[in-house]
């Protein structure tokens, strides 16, 4: 392959074919792209800005509906020996499993327990063994308050947090809405910039979309002072979308 052929990254061959319509011949152009190798970039298809190139980044975010919550419970047991602490932790874990079973969605996630010693060994501060683990799972909106109240009643159990999870239907609808908002905002900024430069034409050259997905919203340990906790009062998960937009101003 000569140097000239190497430099010619892409050729475009224009052919013609005939189609009969109402007794007359109509010429229809057919464009066929011919590349010179699989690794050759199609530079001929890239749009070139013969004006002022404006690069924008637009980010849109909004809250979406939540149909379930992810919870995390901490389990703790203390005793004079490691074996006694582990035995007590197992008792509390068994009770937690039984009481949580009618409330949770799907399976529970329980990591292996940890144990360590604490205290100085004196009469006022005896040396003890502590064993702990976590119980994680998901709960529906209908069982939101029931799980919080249960965590307050179980011995050795502490509610470490609840996380709002977005519904799949609400998330998809919101993503479409955010995309439209981002494109509209990008066009608005481009038009303002073109007007400031005394230019009248704005062409969109490129869109680079980076979806942030749903960002779950976690909040701190629930306080047990209220008689009931309402799922609609929990922070809603957020969805964000970022667009990189290139405009040609002329």
């Amino acid at each position: 392959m000569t140097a000239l052929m190497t430099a010619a990254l892409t050729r475009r061959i224009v052919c013609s074919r005939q189609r009969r319509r109402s007794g007359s011949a109509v010429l229809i152009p057919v464009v066929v792209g011919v590349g010179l190798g699989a690794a050759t970039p199609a530079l001929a298809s890239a749009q070139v800005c013969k004006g002022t190139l404006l690069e924008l980044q637009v980010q849109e975010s909004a809250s979406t509906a939540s149909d379930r919550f992810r919870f995390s419970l901490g389990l703790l047991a203390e005793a004079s020996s490691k074996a006694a602490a582990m035995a007590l932790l197992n008792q509390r874990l068994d009770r937690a499993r039984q009481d949580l079973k009618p409330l949770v969605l799907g399976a529970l996630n329980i990591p292996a327990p940890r144990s360590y010693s604490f205290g100085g060994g004196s009469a006022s501060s005896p040396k003890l063994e502590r064993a702990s683990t976590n119980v994680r799972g998901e709960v529906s909106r209908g069982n939101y308050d029931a799980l919080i109240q249960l965590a307050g009643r179980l011995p050795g159990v502490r509610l470490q947090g609840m996380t709002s999870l977005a519904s799949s239907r609400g998330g998809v609808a919101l993503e479409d809405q955010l995309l439209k908002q981002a494109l509209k905002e990008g066009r608005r900024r481009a038009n303002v910039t073109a007007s400031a430069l005394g230019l009248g034409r704005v062409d969109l050259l490129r869109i680079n979309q980076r979806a942030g997905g749903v960002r779950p919203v976690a909040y701190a340990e629930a306080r047990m002072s209220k008689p009931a906790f309402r799922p609609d009062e929990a922070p809603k998960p957020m969805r964000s979308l970022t667009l990189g937009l290139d405009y040609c101003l002329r």
Side-chain angles (χ1 to χ4, degrees):
M1 181 180 291
T2 65
L4 179 59
M5 293 177 65
T6 303
L9 299 178
T10 304
R11 292 185 301 168
R12 295 170 67 85
I13 301 175
V14 181
C15 319
S16 296
R17 65 180 178 181
Q18 290 188 346
R19 185 178 70 185
R20 296 289 176 180
R21 180 187 298 171
S22 303
S24 61
V26 180
L27 293 179
I28 303 175
V30 179
V31 181
V32 181
V34 179
L36 299 180
T40 302
L43 297 182
S45 63
Q47 297 189 52
V48 178
C49 178
K50 297 181 179 180
T52 300
L53 179 63
L54 174 64
E55 297 180 352
L56 294 177
Q57 180 170 296
V58 181
Q59 184 177 33
E60 297 287 339
S61 61
S63 62
T64 184
S66 174
D67 61 359
R68 66 197 190 284
F69 300 86
R70 182 183 299 124
F71 64 85
S72 176
L73 304 177
L75 271 71
L76 185 69
E78 297 175 355
S80 58
S81 67
K82 181 177 179 180
M86 291 298 296
L88 180 57
L89 182 67
N90 284 331
Q91 293 177 11
R92 292 176 173 177
L93 180 57
D94 287 342
R95 180 178 174 184
R97 283 195 184 104
Q98 294 175 9
D99 291 351
L100 288 171
K101 186 176 180 179
L103 301 179
V104 299
L105 300 171
L108 295 173
N109 182 8
I110 304 173
R114 298 180 302 165
S115 63
Y116 59 91
S117 303
F118 71 100
S122 63
S124 59
S125 179
K127 187 175 181 180
L128 296 173
E129 291 289 334
R130 177 176 293 166
S132 64
T133 188
N134 294 300
V135 177
R136 302 184 184 95
E138 294 183 6
V139 65
S140 66
R141 293 178 61 88
N143 289 325
Y144 172 82
D145 179 66
L147 185 131
I148 294 176
Q149 303 299 335
L150 176 63
R153 295 193 303 266
L154 291 175
V157 174
R158 182 171 65 92
L159 179 60
Q160 295 177 324
M162 297 277 279
T163 302
S164 299
L165 301 178
S167 62
S168 57
R169 183 177 180 181
V172 170
L174 183 58
E175 186 173 302
D176 293 343
Q177 176 187 339
L178 293 179
L179 177 60
K180 294 177 182 179
Q181 292 177 190
L183 290 173
K184 183 177 180 179
E185 175 62 16
R187 173 66 64 172
R188 186 193 67 80
R189 294 187 192 177
N191 287 336
V192 170
T193 304
S195 177
L197 296 174
L199 303 174
R201 180 169 175 176
V202 176
D203 295 323
L204 178 60
L205 301 180
R206 184 184 66 92
I207 300 176
N208 182 17
Q209 178 175 338
R210 296 186 298 278
V214 178
R215 178 167 57 89
V217 177
Y219 40 102
E221 178 184 357
R223 294 170 295 177
M224 299 301 170
S225 57
K226 293 184 178 181
F229 292 86
R230 300 175 183 174
D232 56 346
E233 295 176 342
K236 292 180 174 59
M238 299 293 294
R239 180 175 287 271
S240 63
L241 181 139
T242 301
L243 290 186
L245 303 172
D246 289 355
Y247 291 93
C248 184
L249 312 181
R250 287 182 284 175

